[in-house]
Amino acid sequence: MPQTLDEILNSHRTHRPVVMGILNVTPDSFSDGGRFLDAPAAVAQARQMVAEGADIIDVGAESTRPGSARVGPDEQIRRIEPILPELTKLDAIVSIDTTIAEVAEVALDAGAQIINDVSAGRDDAKMFGLAASRNAALILMHMLGRPKTMQENPQYDDVAKEVRDFLAGRIKAATDAGVKRNRIIIDPGIGFGKDLEHNLALLNNIGVLAELGAPVLVGPSRKRFIGEISGRADTSERLGGTIAACLASWRGGASIFRVHDVAAIVQALTVARAIEEKDKKRRRTDDG
Ligand code: HH2
């Protein structure tokens, strides 16, 4: 059974893993670009991810991979509009991956309940107002620089603290604009203006971000740092690394996982959780 939006927004307390399946309706996404541009193929992929246990379907019409070009609102809307009514019929929460309020609004009108804004409200001044007026859940992600140039020598003194402070500032900006604190999800933005060491430090320090008291989402799926560690250039050969990154960050306190390979990640997290629960039960028995 997929989790409700309230359960998802409470997942940092329950530590129950939430899986968000990626649906890129783009010609140029780094690992699946062009595969789901056609509406029936996109809907079939979403249906498959729900059958595999996705709690959320995150639909996006603009690639944010390093070096990518911007896609305007009209084109984003043209790509998502035909499939939204089908997605919102599925037994999962729909999230819209966009930094443009006009695009998010079309998705909310069709029944989406989460706005995934990788600019954390910096691209479009109307985004926080929209999230507030619709009581939508809002994902605030950290990015250093812009997708076109973000991988050109990113620098931090203490990446986890700097990302936390940035996210604290964006939470304040969102709540000042009327977004309820308990509708916000935070994300360190794996690969967005970060080199290998930065990504590893963030995945290893989820607790620093969790201090902000919001559910932490991570999106390591098939990303470049896995290729750098494993020597796998082909993104379809990065599932093992994606699983490792999800499990390590889940143990550190992350509870929402944005992934391409839903079935494998659901299985990995379900087993990891069963092991953790067993340990808790044993400790309860030992204590009592
Ligand atoms: N990563 C990507 C896109 N959106 N949103 C959040 N909240 N967190 C992420 O880490 C994140 C994201 C990039 O991955 P993908 O969608 O697979 O590729 P592309 O941007 O090339 O479409």
Side-chain angles (χ1 to χ4, degrees):
M1 270 293 283
Q3 301 189 55
T4 63
L5 186 58
D6 283 342
E7 285 170 329
I8 292 166
L9 291 168
N10 206 26
S11 60
H12 55 312
R13 299 192 184 92
T14 59
H15 204 212
R16 184 168 160 201
V18 176
V19 173
M20 171 189 254
I22 300 171
L23 186 64
N24 285 320
V25 232
T26 59
D28 57 345
S29 285
F30 79 96
S31 94
D32 55 1
R35 281 190 60 202
F36 308 117
L37 254 185
D38 158 66
V43 173
Q45 172 66 3
R47 202 166 280 134
Q48 172 74 20
M49 292 194 289
V50 173
E52 291 174 355
D55 300 287
I56 306 170
I57 298 297
D58 186 42
V59 59
E62 176 182 38
S63 172
T64 47
R65 75 179 197 289
S68 58
R70 298 305 316 259
V71 178
D74 292 349
E75 179 59 18
Q76 289 193 37
I77 291 168
R78 198 187 65 74
R79 291 178 187 174
I80 59 168
E81 221 170 14
I83 60 172
L84 280 167
E86 297 303 316
L87 299 186
T88 51
K89 267 187 227 149
L90 298 174
D91 195 9
I93 304 286
V94 174
S95 155
I96 174 71
D97 185 353
T98 188
T99 66
I100 303 176
E102 194 185 333
V103 178
E105 189 164 17
V106 168
L108 297 181
D109 285 347
Q113 298 184 66
I114 303 179
I115 301 172
N116 176 17
D117 183 351
V118 299
S119 83
R122 294 176 298 163
D123 264 9
D124 188 337
K126 296 200 190 97
M127 193 62 108
F128 289 163
L130 173 70
S133 67
R134 300 298 194 87
N135 202 24
L138 177 65
I139 299 168
L140 299 174
M141 194 196 81
H142 175 272
M143 178 183 343
L144 184 68
R146 302 294 315 155
K148 218 165 175 55
T149 52
M150 65 192 177
Q151 289 309 100
E152 293 170 9
N153 198 23
Q155 300 282 344
Y156 301 86
D157 289 325
D158 182 333
V159 64
K161 283 213 181 75
E162 285 168 52
V163 167
R164 181 198 57 199
D165 292 349
F166 167 88
L167 291 171
R170 298 317 295 162
I171 291 173
K172 169 139 191 0
T175 49
D176 285 352
V179 178
K180 287 200 193 101
R181 188 78 176 69
N182 61 9
R183 308 300 279 181
I184 294 176
I185 294 166
I186 54 172
D187 179 347
I190 298 301
F192 286 85
K194 282 117 192 162
D195 66 17
L196 172 61
E197 297 306 316
H198 301 140
N199 288 318
L200 295 180
L202 285 166
L203 289 166
N204 198 32
N205 282 284
I206 298 293
V208 174
L209 309 177
E211 283 167 15
L212 296 174
V216 178
L217 180 153
V218 289
S221 192
R222 302 183 185 171
K223 281 186 180 166
R224 184 184 301 179
F225 77 100
I226 299 172
E228 285 169 354
I229 297 169
S230 63
R232 299 291 178 180
D234 183 341
T235 55
S236 69
E237 292 178 11
R238 296 179 182 169
L239 176 57
T242 302
I243 293 173
C246 290
L247 293 187
S249 54
W250 177 69
R251 291 202 76 114
S255 57
I256 310 178
F257 304 88
R258 182 181 182 278
V259 296
H260 300 88
D261 303 285
V262 169
I265 307 298
V266 166
Q267 187 179 82
L269 287 162
T270 306
V271 171
R273 185 157 194 257
I275 295 167
E276 189 186 76
E277 290 293 305
K278 177 83 185 155
D279 196 46
K280 269 193 211 143
K281 257 188 227 143
R282 185 179 57 78
R283 267 183 276 138
R284 274 197 297 268
T285 322
D286 289 352
D287 290 349

